[in-house]
């Protein structure tokens, strides 16, 4: 199997040994044993601390997309009004998903080099009176981080009853995120980004008023959120929960909490700053329009003149460095350094910069 010395893909991220070990253990008791209920409750508690919430956090099995779809289908029905705030592929994609559910979707679109503007979002929301507003915290393909606290406050004052749905898959556990203080109703998290657990954990923090809407909408399906309101006791889960995935998330949150939430956030900021400075020294332009729009979890850079991504990627891999390309309209224009979770390390970013210098120089 190919392994790279310097893994800096923006997810799935490198999994630390203790997390891998927790995942790969043989769990003798089935999830029907009381031990699983205790373990699930402890994992949920850790996630609450990581996310800054007292809400229930559903720990579902599936990719990050399972969280995005499950939460959306659970609160959006045919004909419901939705405002999709979109400054990139995920923001647009969530709007398209809502359209697929028959919702009446209005977009507040931005150039992917920018982040959404709270005043403009508030105007759009006030004009459309939506049931749900969808946001993306970190637009991973563009390397931008939305001003989520300000956006959420603006939405709350423009439409107090609208639910705030946030894709925090590539920001949670890597940047400041306060679900309760910021009033986020549905906060969606994946296991394989800044948490650095294996893929297959989809976590959703659900506010009390989101639970009310979930029961009013009444969506039933494999990815429905409704049944997760009352999980815990043996036999209460809508399907067999994965002890392995739960254990990996438990261990991953344990690492974040042992290091300290603030220290983790600072580490991401420092590593991202180094990455931006180093790239500038090599004459590589940032993709986001302003440094303030940059995410601490992933840095998006313009491909240097005369370089295709395929050629740069091959040269980097030849030196044991693997970065991310991009897709959609940014393909062939942008490449990305994924410094999130266990990959938010100075030594990794420094090695990538040295390799880039050697290749481009
Ligand atoms: C990675 C990611 C997702 C989920 O994608 P999966 O790879 O299917 O887990 C959703 N939103 C954002 C912003 C992401 O970066």
């Amino acid at each position: 199997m190919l392994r790279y010395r310097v893994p800096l893909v923006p997810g799935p991220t490198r999994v630390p040994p203790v997390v891998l070990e927790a995942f790969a253990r043989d769990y003798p008791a089935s999830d029907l044993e009381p031990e699983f209920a205790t373990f699930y409750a402890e994992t949920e508690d850790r996630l609450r601390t990581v996310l800054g919430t007292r809400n229930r956090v559903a720990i579902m099995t599936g990719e990050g997309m399972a969280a995005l779809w499950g939460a959306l289908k659970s609160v959006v029905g045919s004909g419901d009004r939705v405002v999709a705030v979109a400054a990139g592929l995920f923001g647009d994609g969530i709007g398209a998903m809502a359209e697929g559910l028959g919702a009446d979707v209005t977009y507040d679109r931005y150039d992917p080099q920018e982040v959404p503007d709270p005043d403009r979002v508030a105007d759009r929301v006030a004009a459309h009176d939506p049931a749900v507003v969808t946001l993306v915290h970190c637009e991973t393909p563009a390397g931008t981080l939305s001003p989520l606290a300000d956006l959420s406050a603006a939405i709350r004052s423009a439409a107090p009853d609208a639910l705030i749905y946030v894709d925090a898959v590539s920001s949670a556990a890597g940047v400041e995120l306060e679900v309760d203080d910021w009033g986020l109703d549905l906060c969606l998290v994946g296991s394989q980004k800044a948490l650095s657990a294996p893929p297959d954990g989809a976590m959703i923090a659900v506010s009390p008023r989101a639970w009310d809407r979930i029961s009013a909408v009444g969506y039933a399906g494999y990815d429905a959120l409704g049944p997760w309101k009352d999980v815990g006791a043996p036999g209460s889960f809508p399907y067999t929960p994965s002890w392995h995935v739960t254990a990996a998330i438990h261990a991953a949150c344990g690492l974040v909490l042992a290091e300290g939430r603030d220290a983790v956030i600072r580490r991401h900021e420092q590593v991202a700053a180094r990455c931006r400075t180093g790239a500038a020294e090599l004459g590589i332009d940032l993709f986001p329009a302003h440094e303030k729009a940059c995410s601490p979890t992933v840095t998006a850079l313009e491909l240097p003149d005369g370089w295709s991504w395929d050629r740069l990627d091959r040269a980097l891999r030849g030196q044991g460095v693997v970065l991310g390309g991009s897709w959609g309209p940014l393909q062939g224009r942008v490449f990305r350094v994924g410094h999130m979770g266990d990959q938010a390390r100075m030594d990794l970013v420094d090695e990538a910069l040295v390799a880039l210098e050697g290749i481009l120089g």
Side-chain angles (χ1 to χ4, degrees), residues 32-116:
L32 296 177
E33 302 297 319
E35 286 88 338
F36 182 78
T38 309
F39 195 66
Y40 183 91
E42 205 174 291
T43 308
E44 187 179 353
D45 260 338
R46 287 185 176 189
L47 280 166
R48 284 195 187 101
T49 309
V50 168
L51 300 174
T53 185
R54 294 163 72 168
N55 292 339
R56 281 226 79 167
V57 183
I59 309 169
M60 303 161 86
T61 309
E63 277 287 317
M65 288 312 294
L68 267 61
W69 271 116
L72 198 65
K73 287 172 172 170
S74 298
V75 297
V76 171
S78 184
D80 287 337
R81 278 198 297 276
V82 171
V83 169
V85 179
L89 279 173
F90 281 101
D92 263 322
I94 292 166
M97 286 156 61
E99 287 188 60
L101 300 174
D104 171 3
V105 181
T106 300
Y107 291 86
D108 188 20
R109 282 204 174 93
Y110 297 82
D111 185 286
Q113 292 175 270
E114 305 279 354
V115 292

Side-chain angles (χ1 to χ4, degrees), residues 18-40:
V18 288
V19 177
L20 214 47
E21 196 182 288
F23 181 85
R25 211 170 292 155
D26 186 22
Y27 293 96
S30 85
D31 61 276
L32 296 177
E33 302 297 319
E35 286 88 338
F36 182 78
T38 309
F39 195 66
Y40 183 91

